[in-house]
């Protein structure tokens, strides 16, 4: 994978999220892909399970959001990107998210792991000087 291929994949991911149904997931993920919504979450495995998770997680294909992306690194079949997603108009929810993606030879993702963060998420007792 190179940066352009990863950028194209992320653009396709956003487009599929904005598209009714889940049939297009086959263009993004391998049949046996794993998708983890957080570093300690149990991965969702397989295209049918990922499709169910998508339908449960999104409000619908017409959900209002803006997503900006910065590709942090690409090394062989692995890429890391940083997303900022703002939901609503006006914005009522936002996330910053790291994605770790491992790709199959055909350019589809075989392993997807999110590290989501949102405003106010910090330790109860931050260290001095924070």
């Amino acid at each position: 994978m190179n940066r352009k291929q990863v950028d194209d994949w992320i653009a396709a991911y956003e487009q599929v999220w904005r598209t009714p149904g889940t049939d297009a997931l086959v263009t993004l993920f391998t049949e046996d892909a794993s998708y983890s919504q957080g570093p300690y979450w149990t991965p969702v495995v397989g295209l049918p399970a990922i499709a169910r998770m998508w339908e449960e997680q999104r409000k619908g294909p017409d959900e209002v959001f803006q997503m900006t992306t910065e590709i942090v690194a690409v090394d062989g079949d692995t890429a890391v990107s940083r997303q900022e997603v703002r939901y609503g108009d006006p914005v009522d929810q936002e996330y910053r998210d790291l994605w770790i993606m491992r790709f199959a030879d055909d350019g589809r993702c075989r392993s997807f792991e999110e590290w989501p963060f949102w405003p106010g998420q910090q330790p109860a007792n931050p260290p001095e000087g924070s």
Side-chain angles (χ1 to χ4, degrees):
M1 295 293 284
N2 60 45
R3 284 180 180 269
K4 169 112 174 58
Q5 290 169 310
V6 173
D7 190 50
D8 289 348
W9 187 90
I10 292 170
Y13 178 105
E14 180 179 354
Q15 183 59 44
V16 170
W17 188 266
R18 294 179 185 274
T19 301
T22 57
D23 292 344
L25 283 173
V26 71
T27 66
L28 295 177
F29 296 99
T30 62
E31 190 65 36
D32 61 346
S34 67
Y35 190 122
S36 180
Q37 293 177 286
Y40 296 102
W41 290 41
T42 302
V44 175
V45 178
L47 215 41
I50 292 170
R52 283 190 302 276
M53 181 267 301
W54 270 44
E55 288 296 7
E56 291 170 5
Q57 294 295 315
R58 65 182 178 173
K59 292 179 182 173
D62 57 348
E63 183 174 28
V64 176
F65 70 93
Q66 294 178 325
M67 186 171 91
T68 58
T69 299
E70 174 192 0
I71 297 171
V72 176
V74 179
D75 185 13
D77 69 348
T78 303
V80 177
S81 68
R82 180 179 10 234
Q83 271 62 241
E84 185 166 313
V85 185
R86 295 171 178 253
Y87 290 94
D89 184 17
V91 174
D92 60 4
Q93 185 178 32
E94 66 182 88
Y95 294 93
R96 288 191 181 155
D97 205 349
L98 294 177
W99 291 358
I100 302 170
M101 301 153 282
R102 290 186 175 84
F103 294 94
D105 291 341
D106 65 3
R108 293 183 300 156
C109 190
R110 61 183 172 82
S111 174
F112 184 89
E113 182 179 341
E114 292 187 74
W115 290 64
F117 299 89
W118 50 91
Q121 182 184 15
Q122 65 181 22
N125 297 309
E128 286 290 320
S130 303

